[in-house]
Amino acid sequence: MNAVVHPADIQDRDGGPLVIESMHGLFPFVTKLFADGGYQGPRFRKALAKVMPQLSVEIVKRSDIAKGFKVLPRRWVVERTLAWLNRCRRLAKDFENLNRNALAFIKLASIRLMLRKLSN
């Protein structure tokens, strides 16, 4: 739905609200956000509440007793999407000098994926 490219010195937890803020008003129907354990904590929730107060966050964590690989609910959607995007050779490595170039190639790869899904 949206992407933000930021420097490597910004943690995902701090970059999450940037993504939500950049799509403010575009998707008012989004009410639930699934995130992994890296996004838990009051700082992330407070930043999200400031941008989209109606958004509830569900942290999907791996069980402590699970051994080996275990599919977690809703988390596979993000991993699958990232795997699809990484099929694009240009996105396999970070070669771009400018953030706007990296964002443009992410959008192009996403358009390619959507067109492929629509044509089937």
Side-chain angles (χ1 to χ4, degrees), residues 82-90 112-113 116:
L82 292 174
W84 285 343
L85 289 174
N86 280 330
R87 285 186 190 163
C88 297
R89 290 176 50 173
R90 188 76 185 234
R112 181 180 150 264
L113 284 172
R116 181 173 284 166

Side-chain angles (χ1 to χ4, degrees), residues 4-52:
V4 171
V5 177
H6 54 74
D9 64 346
I10 297 177
Q11 291 183 3
D12 289 345
R13 181 186 64 235
D14 299 331
L18 296 173
V19 175
I20 302 298
E21 187 176 346
S22 70
M23 58 186 242
H24 181 69
L26 294 175
F27 305 100
F29 52 86
V30 175
T31 58
K32 187 158 205 148
L33 174 70
F34 293 97
D36 66 7
Y39 294 92
Q40 65 187 1
R43 188 171 162 187
F44 178 71
R45 289 185 191 271
K46 192 182 292 185
L48 277 185
K50 199 183 297 182
V51 177
M52 284 184 81

Side-chain angles (χ1 to χ4, degrees), residues 88-105:
C88 297
R89 290 176 50 173
R90 188 76 185 234
L91 297 177
K93 300 283 184 216
D94 295 328
F95 292 123
E96 305 306 322
N97 290 333
L98 301 174
N99 289 352
R100 67 175 180 256
N101 291 352
L103 184 59
F105 282 109

